[in-house]
Amino acid sequence: MKEFSVLNHDMVPEHILLTEDEIKKLLAKYRISKGHLPKIKTSDPVCKEINAKAGDVLKVVRDSMTAGKALSYRLVIEG
Amino acid sequence: MASPKRIKKIKFGLLSPKEIRKMGVTKIITADTYDDDGYPIEMGLMDPRLGVIDPGLRCRTCGGRPGECPGHFCRIELVAPVVHVGFAKLVRKILRSTCRKCGRLLLEEPIKKNYLDQIKLLTKLGQPCDDLVKNVFRDATKVNLCPYCEEAQMDIKFEQPTSYVEGGHKLMPADIRDRFERIPDEDIKIFGMDPKNARPEWMILRVLPVPPVTTRPSITLESGQRSEDDLTHKLVDIIRINQRFQENREAGAPQLIIEDLWELLQYHVTTFLDNEVSGVPPARHRSGRPLKSLSQRLKGKEGRFRGSLSGKRVNFSARTVISPDPNLSISEIGVPLQIATELTIPMNITSRNLEECREYVRRGPNNHPGASYVKRLDGRRVKVIDENREELAELLEPGWKVDRQLQDGDLVLFNRQPSLHRMSIMAHEVKVMPYKTFRINPAVCPPYNADFDGDEMNLHVPQTEEARAEAKILMKVEENILSPRFGGPIIGGIHDHISGMFLLTRGNVTFDKDTALELLKKSEIMDLSEPAGYENGKPYWTGKQIFSQLLPSGLNLTYRSKMCDNCKICKREECEKDAYVVIKDGNLLCGTVDEVAIGAFAGKILDRIIKEYGAVEAGKFLDNATRLAIRMITRIGFSFGIDDEDIPSDAQEQIHDIIMAAEERVKRLIEAYEAGELDSLPGRTIDETVEMKIMQELGKARNQAGDIAGHHLGMDNSAVVMAISGARGSMLNLTQMAACVGQQSVRGERIQRGYADRTLPHFYKGDLGADAHGFVKSSYKKGLSPIEFFFHAMGGREGLVDTAVRTSQSGYLQRRLINALQDLEIKYDGTVRETRGQIVQFVYGDDGVDPSKSDYGKSVNVSRIIQNVTGEEVMGGKSG
Ligand SMILES: [Mg+2]
Ligand SMILES: [Zn+2]
Ligand SMILES: [Zn+2]
Ligand SMILES: [Zn+2]
C-alpha cells in the first residue's frame, strides 16, 4: 500500500511543474526574471513529493473566495 | 564642513574615570560663573573652553562659531566618591553576590563556567542574556560562605535610594569602590558586563563629567540679567559642597560632620542625575519649582526621545473641538473665523488675479479674507501689517506670491485620531463661521467615528496646486461614501436622520401645500409633484411623495426594510407593516424609508444612487435627505422621557407572575438536581446540565416579560420608533428599562465568583437559586436592589475590561499589518509587487476588483442589471 501523500490532502492546492517553455512565457508575460517570483523551498513536503529541484517553477492552483480559482507561480529554491 | 558619516555600530558602556579625565577639556574648581564685567571665569562652569553660545565669539577649544562648535565636556574631581543613582540597584545586586573579602563571585568554579559558556553562546547569537544573569544574581545571593576564601558573608540591606548597610554598619561609597575593584574580570563577564567597557567600580563616581555649555545655555532676560539653566544651578551646588567637604577634611573635622557633608554631596549628585528618585526630596529652584535633571530631559512623553526626536509637528494645521451642524453639506466643514485668519494659502500673482490679491493685501492680516505675508520676486518675505498694507498692495506685481487667509470654498484635509482607515482623513470645503468649534454634518460622523462629547479634530491646509488636486480627486467626502472594506456606503444618515425619515414615509402621512413646501425648503428641490388627492377642496401630499422629490428620476429599486419579519409568504405591496419598499422611476410607491435605506453602513437607496448616478449625485441626495429628515423631526417634536417606560399595572403584575413562576421552576430544577433525579444532557455533566436548564428557564422568563412590555409600548413611543427604524437602541434596551433587566453574566456564565461556595454572604453556601447568581428581576425604571446592583456592576465591568484589552491588541495588530504592507503597490499589469519588484500576488485579490468600486465585493450585480432592463424585480442574492 502506498504511503499517505500530501497531494491528496484537502488543504493542499494543486502544484504543477512548468516546462522550460512555459517558464519562458510566464517570465515574458510579467516582464520579470525568475528571482521576482514568490519562492518555495525544496524541503517543502509538496516539492519532495513531486520531486521539484531548485530552479524549477511550480504553478499553484488555489481555490479563491473572490475568483473561484486563482493562479500563482513559485520558484523552487534550495532549502 | 565635515561630511556626513555612516554609523556602523553603537556601543554602550560606562565611562571610566580615566576616560572622563581624557575627554574633559578642563577641571572645574570654582562655583563662580561670570566675573563683574560679565566675562566667563576660567575653570568655572562657563569656561570659554566648554564651547560657545554667545553669537560673535569663537570656541577656545575647537575655534568653531556658535552652531558649529558641538561643545566640550569638562569635569569635577569629587573629594569623595558617590554612588550613581541610575546604578543603585545593580550595585546592590553585585554587593550581595560577591565576597566581602576577596571580591570574587560567590559561585563554585564549575557553575561559573557553565554560566559563562551560556552567556558567550547567547552573545554570539546576538540574543539578550538578561534572564540568565538574573539567575546568576539569584544563585549567588543565596551563598553565605565564600567558596574561595571561606569568609562568612553578611546580609546587606539596601536603603533607598543610595545607601547600603552591612550588618548594622553603613557601607561608604569608598568601601564599595574598593570592594568592586577586587572583582576579577572573569567574574564580571558572568554579570553580563564587559570588563573592558564597564567595570562595576565605575558605577561609583569619583569624577563627574560636566556637560558643555551648549547643553545648558544661559538666557539673558529682558532686564539684562542672566538666568542660568537648571543643570548649571545643580552643578554650582555640587562644586560648593565639594569645596566645603575638602576644607573640612583638611581641617580635620570630626567624622560626624564629614559623613554629613558626604551625604549632602551624594544628594546633589543624585538630584543632578535624576530629580525624581523616590525617597529623595526633589531639589528646588528659588521659586519653589523642582529643577529639571538630566534624566527628566530624556524620560517620558515630552522627553528628548519621544518628544523631540520621534515627535513630528506640522505647520498649516489647526485643532479644536467639533460640534454638529446639520445645515452644512457633508462635504463642508465649518471653520472658526479665528482659525481662518491664522491659516494661509500661497497664491501666485498673475495678471489675472492681481486685483484680487491686492484686495487681500489691502485688507491686511486682521480683517478676515486678508493676507499675512507677501513674497517678492527676489524671494524676500515681507510681513503684511496694518502700517504697510496699503503700500504693499500697490507694489504687488505678477510673479510675487501672497499668503492669503483661508476662505469659503478652500479645500482642506480633516482628520480624527486614531486614523485607522483612509476615511479618517477626508477633504472638505471650508465654510468660515463664528464661534470656536469645527462644525461638521453629523452624517460624516461614522467614518471618523466621531461624536460631540468633547472630541477634537485636526485640520490641514494643502499648500500646493498638486496637493489640492490630489485631495480633490481622491479624498473628497463624496469619493469616500463607499467603503473599500465592503463596497457599500459607510457615510449615511444617523440617529434623527433615520427617525425623521421613518416618521415622514411610514404609512400615509399627509401634508398640505404649505407644510410640504416648508419640509422641502432646505433641500434644493424646486418643484412639487401632483398632489395625492384633495380634502375639503384643498390639495394634500403624502410623506412618500415628498421623499420621492429627492430621488433622481429613473431610479428603480425593490427591497425589504428593517421592519420586515421575513414572513414565509411575503405579502409584498400589501405588507401591513409597510416593510416592502418599491421605488419606480424615482417614486417611492410603498414601504418605509429607514436605516436600511439611508443609514451609514447600510443605505440601500444611497448605495444605488452612488452606483448609478455617481458620487456627486449621492452627496446631493444625502444633503437633501438629511435636511428633510431634520425638518420633519423638528416639526413633529421628538422626545423621550422617564414616563415613556411606564406600562400599565396589570402588565406589571403579569411580568411579576412570569418571573415568580420561572423562579418556582428553577427551584424545582434544583430540587430534582439535589435529589439526583435530573438526567444529564448528552456530552454534559450533571452540574453543567442544571446550570444550562436554569439559564434557559430564566432567559425564557425575561423574554416573556419583555414581550409583555413590548405590547404596551407602541409606535407613539419615541424609543420604539428609534428601535424599529434602526436610529438608535433596540427593543431589548427598552424592555430592560420597562420590564426586567435579566441575567447578568461574567464569561458567559451566571455569576459564580465571590466567597467560598457563594457569591455574597447574603446567601447560603451552595445556593443555586436565580437571585444568588445574578438574575436581576427589577427593571431599570423600577430600580435595582443593592445585590442586583452589585451583580450588574460585575457584568458591566467585564464589558469595559474586554473593550480596553481588545482595542490595545487590535491596535498593535493593525500597526504590524500596516508596517508589513505599506510599500506594496498594484502595478499596471494587475500584479501586487513590493519595492524590489518581487511579486506578492499575481492578480490583486485574485479577481483584480477594487472593493470600493465594486458592488458589495462583487464586480457585477447581475440582478440589478436585469431589473434595470426588464423593470421586473429580481430577489436573488443578498445585495439584489
Ligand atoms: Mg467622543
Ligand atoms: Zn568648541
Ligand atoms: Zn572570598
Ligand atoms: Zn415582509
Side-chain angles (χ1 to χ4, degrees):
Chain A
M1 197 187 112
K2 199 193 172 300
E3 260 182 71
F4 166 77
S5 158
V6 282
L7 299 178
N8 297 329
H9 195 284
D10 244 26
M11 304 296 288
V12 178
E14 199 180 343
H15 287 67
I16 306 154
L17 264 170
L18 292 192
T19 62
E20 277 307 315
D21 224 37
E22 286 169 319
I23 295 174
K24 227 179 244 164
K25 268 191 199 141
L26 173 76
L27 298 182
K29 181 181 173 193
Y30 291 106
R31 300 180 185 202
I32 50 172
S33 64
K34 268 187 183 178
H36 288 115
L37 291 170
K39 312 289 188 294
I40 186 168
K41 285 183 179 171
T42 46
S43 57
D44 190 286
V46 172
C47 284
K48 285 185 191 163
E49 191 76 25
I50 62 173
N51 204 16
K53 295 276 170 291
D56 289 347
V57 175
L58 299 183
K59 175 158 110 179
V60 186
V61 187
R62 295 197 183 90
D63 291 334
S64 161
M65 299 249 286
T66 50
K69 291 271 177 207
L71 292 186
S72 177
Y73 301 89
R74 300 176 80 173
L75 172 72
V76 183
I77 53 163
E78 211 66 65
Chain B
M1 218 191 104
S3 61
K5 305 264 191 323
R6 189 170 291 275
I7 298 170
K8 226 179 204 168
K9 59 180 179 182
I10 301 176
K11 196 162 73 182
F12 291 96
L14 298 175
L15 280 176
S16 70
K18 220 169 157 187
E19 281 173 292
I20 298 173
R21 290 194 180 105
K22 208 169 84 189
M23 74 179 190
V25 287
T26 178
K27 200 157 75 173
I28 304 291
I29 49 165
T30 167
D32 302 320
T33 48
Y34 296 96
D35 63 19
D36 297 336
D37 302 327
Y39 284 106
I41 293 172
E42 293 233 346
M43 296 182 96
L45 278 169
M46 288 293 162
D47 190 298
R49 283 169 292 183
L50 301 189
V52 274
I53 39 172
D54 305 299
L57 296 178
R58 273 179 185 275
C59 171
R60 284 256 304 270
T61 303
C62 68
R65 271 191 282 262
E68 293 168 359
C69 165
H72 312 278
F73 273 88
C74 58
R75 62 180 197 272
I76 296 172
E77 295 280 346
L78 296 176
V79 178
V82 291
V83 179
H84 188 304
V85 259
F87 300 105
K89 289 233 167 78
L90 186 58
V91 167
R92 174 188 62 174
K93 278 198 254 179
I94 296 177
L95 274 178
R96 281 180 178 172
S97 46
T98 52
C99 173
R100 60 191 304 267
K101 193 173 155 205
C102 71
R104 303 188 67 176
L105 177 60
L106 296 167
L107 288 175
E108 310 263 358
E109 205 60 62
I111 307 176
K112 276 203 220 173
K113 192 172 168 338
N114 180 23
Y115 272 126
L116 194 60
D117 288 347
Q118 286 188 54
I119 287 173
K120 273 183 182 158
L121 183 71
L122 283 173
T123 325
K124 211 173 107 187
L125 295 173
Q127 277 172 353
C129 51
D130 310 12
D131 289 339
L132 204 67
V133 171
K134 213 187 260 169
N135 293 343
V136 174
F137 285 124
R138 192 196 55 207
D139 294 350
T141 314
K142 283 185 200 146
V143 180
N144 292 321
L145 205 72
C146 174
Y148 302 99
C149 69
E150 275 156 31
E151 170 84 10
Q153 303 299 314
M154 287 202 263
D155 192 34
I156 291 171
K157 271 204 212 75
F158 174 54
E159 280 165 14
Q160 287 281 8
T162 47
S163 69
Y164 306 87
V165 179
E166 187 183 47
H169 176 73
K170 189 168 182 267
L171 277 177
M172 293 321 257
D175 309 333
I176 300 172
R177 205 183 153 90
D178 290 344
R179 220 181 260 194
F180 282 0
E181 273 167 2
R182 286 197 291 269
I183 306 175
D185 277 4
E186 278 307 294
D187 288 3
I188 288 170
K189 283 183 190 157
I190 305 170
F191 297 139
M193 296 164 78
D194 173 9
K196 276 196 228 80
N197 272 313
R199 289 236 13 135
E201 63 265 28
W202 299 342
M203 294 185 286
I204 315 292
L205 299 166
R206 288 194 87 119
V207 190
L208 187 71
V210 174
V213 282
T214 41
T215 8
R216 43 186 177 89
S218 57
I219 39 171
T220 317
L221 297 176
E222 264 166 48
S223 57
Q225 215 181 357
R226 266 186 191 273
S227 174
E228 296 298 338
D229 190 270
D230 283 3
L231 285 184
T232 312
H233 281 299
K234 212 56 239 176
L235 286 165
V236 168
D237 290 341
I238 292 171
I239 295 167
R240 290 228 173 95
I241 293 301
N242 205 36
Q243 279 171 344
R244 240 172 77 199
F245 196 165
Q246 187 159 22
E247 285 157 19
N248 273 285
R249 193 148 75 178
E250 277 163 10
Q255 186 62 23
L256 214 63
I257 291 181
I258 296 286
E259 266 176 37
D260 272 0
L261 283 169
W262 203 338
E263 201 110 297
L264 206 56
L265 185 66
Q266 174 76 64
Y267 168 79
H268 284 301
V269 173
T270 299
T271 49
F272 168 71
L273 297 166
D274 186 352
N275 204 7
E276 277 173 345
V277 192
S278 61
V280 177
R284 284 172 195 281
H285 196 254
R286 261 173 311 199
S287 63
R289 166 182 66 85
L291 291 169
K292 224 171 165 201
S293 62
L294 276 176
S295 100
Q296 264 123 39
R297 283 195 179 188
L298 309 178
K299 241 195 241 164
K301 205 171 178 188
E302 247 121 73
R304 206 84 323 145
F305 294 106
R306 277 172 73 191
S308 318
L309 294 170
S310 348
K312 289 167 189 71
R313 46 249 18 251
V314 62
N315 287 327
F316 305 106
S317 64
R319 178 183 174 95
T320 184
V321 176
I322 52 166
S323 45
D325 186 340
N327 293 316
L328 284 175
S329 157
I330 52 162
S331 61
E332 282 179 320
I333 175 193
V335 178
L337 181 68
Q338 251 182 310
I339 287 177
T341 29
E342 191 68 38
L343 296 173
T344 58
I345 285 183
M347 269 180 94
N348 293 309
I349 303 182
T350 65
S351 55
R352 273 153 288 131
N353 65 13
L354 182 60
E355 265 321 303
E356 187 192 346
C357 293
R358 281 218 166 106
E359 184 55 29
Y360 291 134
V361 176
R362 224 173 268 135
R363 295 178 68 95
N366 304 316
N367 190 3
H368 177 57
S372 58
Y373 274 95
V374 296
K375 196 174 174 191
R376 305 192 309 199
L377 275 175
D378 59 9
R380 279 275 293 276
R381 272 159 62 85
V382 184
K383 189 169 182 168
V384 183
I385 48 173
D386 280 336
E387 284 69 37
N388 70 1
R389 58 195 168 97
E390 298 283 351
E391 310 162 46
L392 265 180
E394 292 315 308
L395 286 172
L396 293 191
E397 55 181 279
W400 287 36
K401 281 176 185 164
V402 174
D403 285 346
R404 65 140 240 261
Q405 290 167 352
L406 209 60
Q407 58 177 336
D408 284 6
D410 285 334
L411 206 64
V412 293
L413 306 186
F414 201 44
N415 158 244
R416 180 181 177 274
Q417 281 100 353
S419 315
L420 293 177
H421 55 196
R422 71 184 198 198
M423 288 80 74
S424 289
I425 307 178
M426 292 191 289
H428 291 248
E429 274 167 32
V430 168
K431 180 104 178 134
V432 180
M433 296 181 123
Y435 310 119
K436 294 190 169 170
T437 57
F438 286 134
R439 251 61 55 83
I440 51 172
N441 186 314
V444 287
C445 284
Y448 290 120
N449 193 17
D451 48 36
F452 304 109
D453 59 3
D455 290 26
E456 290 182 51
M457 286 180 71
N458 317 313
L459 179 134
H460 297 268
V461 186
Q463 295 289 303
T464 63
E465 220 54 76
E466 292 91 327
R468 276 190 291 274
E470 208 170 324
K472 193 168 183 172
I473 294 165
L474 300 171
M475 304 174 76
K476 285 286 301 259
V477 175
E478 290 95 329
E479 302 300 326
N480 286 290
I481 296 176
L482 289 182
S483 163
R485 193 168 71 212
F486 52 87
I490 185 173
I491 296 173
I494 54 168
H495 305 168
D496 281 4
H497 299 148
I498 293 164
S499 305
M501 265 314 165
F502 184 82
L503 294 169
L504 177 74
T505 55
R506 195 173 73 95
N508 281 306
V509 200
T510 58
F511 303 91
D512 62 20
K513 189 173 181 183
D514 283 355
T515 322
L517 288 175
E518 195 199 311
L519 284 173
L520 286 169
K521 189 176 165 194
K522 285 270 176 170
S523 313
E524 288 152 7
I525 300 301
M526 290 307 149
D527 44 21
L528 210 51
S529 62
E530 286 300 309
Y534 290 86
E535 198 186 329
N536 303 331
K538 279 186 159 180
Y540 67 84
W541 284 263
T542 65
K544 287 187 171 68
Q545 274 184 307
I546 294 172
F547 173 73
S548 298
Q549 296 304 306
L550 311 182
L551 296 172
S553 56
L555 181 77
N556 297 305
L557 187 60
T558 313
Y559 67 91
R560 292 181 177 87
S561 79
K562 194 176 165 70
M563 271 190 298
C564 178
D565 292 328
N566 287 317
C567 340
K568 282 228 176 64
I569 308 146
C570 188
K571 288 185 199 149
R572 301 201 155 199
E573 279 85 348
E574 266 72 56
C575 180
E576 58 277 318
K577 293 186 115 180
D578 204 12
Y580 190 75
V581 184
V582 178
I583 295 172
K584 273 222 167 78
D585 193 20
N587 284 304
L588 177 66
L589 300 181
C590 69
T592 313
V593 175
D594 58 10
E595 193 197 5
V596 180
I598 57 157
F601 303 109
K604 273 186 192 295
I605 297 181
L606 188 61
D607 177 60
R608 186 56 60 88
I609 292 177
I610 194 168
K611 276 164 194 162
E612 278 173 28
Y613 300 87
V616 178
E617 196 64 30
K620 268 190 209 151
F621 169 74
L622 206 53
D623 283 340
N624 290 334
T626 52
R627 282 176 200 159
L628 173 63
I630 295 298
R631 290 230 133 194
M632 179 65 193
I633 203 167
T634 25
R635 195 182 164 73
I636 288 173
F638 196 72
S639 65
F640 182 66
I642 192 85
D643 56 355
D644 281 314
E645 294 151 10
D646 281 336
I647 46 172
S649 55
D650 57 315
Q652 278 180 28
E653 245 156 66
Q654 260 179 300
I655 290 168
H656 183 255
D657 291 346
I658 286 171
I659 290 171
M660 292 310 281
E663 284 201 310
E664 189 54 42
R665 283 196 296 277
V666 168
K667 221 159 109 190
R668 276 205 296 280
L669 263 173
I670 295 167
E671 278 165 13
Y673 163 75
E674 277 163 357
E677 291 160 5
L678 206 64
D679 294 323
S680 58
L681 292 167
R684 304 272 171 186
T685 66
I686 193 79
D687 291 338
E688 286 169 349
T689 306
V690 73
E691 270 300 309
M692 278 179 67
K693 289 205 160 164
I694 292 171
M695 291 258 274
Q696 237 169 39
E697 206 60 71
L698 294 172
K700 217 160 60 194
R702 204 227 74 91
N703 286 339
Q704 283 172 353
D707 287 344
I708 290 170
H711 274 295
H712 295 276
L713 302 167
M715 278 296 184
D716 53 338
N717 185 301
S718 307
V720 175
V721 170
M722 289 191 277
I724 294 200
S725 65
R728 195 77 219 241
S730 63
M731 281 314 276
L732 176 75
N733 293 152
L734 196 52
T735 52
Q736 280 192 324
M737 290 191 265
C740 167
V741 174
Q743 182 66 52
Q744 298 301 304
S745 67
V746 171
R747 301 239 173 128
E749 290 178 330
R750 296 205 298 163
I751 287 167
Q752 308 289 355
R753 55 188 67 208
Y755 297 81
D757 301 327
R758 51 182 165 178
T759 51
L760 283 172
H762 309 69
F763 304 106
Y764 288 110
K765 284 192 173 180
D767 187 352
L768 285 178
D771 46 355
H773 288 275
F775 185 73
V776 179
K777 278 185 265 184
S778 319
S779 64
Y780 285 124
K781 169 85 197 286
K782 180 170 172 253
L784 273 58
S785 76
I787 290 170
E788 287 176 334
F789 184 88
F790 182 74
F791 288 137
H792 186 259
M794 285 176 82
R797 174 69 61 84
E798 191 192 26
L800 293 182
V801 171
D802 275 7
T803 29
V805 171
R806 245 204 319 275
T807 41
S808 66
Q809 280 178 347
S810 64
Y812 182 46
L813 187 69
Q814 165 107 1
R815 234 183 91 82
R816 278 163 31 196
L817 259 177
I818 288 174
N819 284 337
L821 301 179
Q822 61 183 354
D823 294 321
L824 302 191
E825 204 176 329
I826 304 174
K827 300 287 179 182
Y828 286 112
D829 64 357
T831 56
V832 180
R833 304 198 192 193
E834 35 105 298
T835 39
R836 290 173 301 168
Q838 295 270 338
I839 291 181
V840 177
Q841 256 182 357
F842 285 84
V843 180
Y844 168 70
D846 289 349
D847 57 0
V849 170
D850 173 358
S852 64
K853 300 273 182 289
S854 74
D855 202 297
Y856 290 94
K858 292 272 182 298
S859 46
V860 205
N861 183 341
V862 179
S863 54
R864 177 175 120 195
I865 295 170
I866 297 175
Q867 192 176 356
N868 274 346
V869 173
T870 62
E872 282 298 306
E873 179 215 357
V874 189
M875 280 251 178
K878 263 188 242 156
S879 58

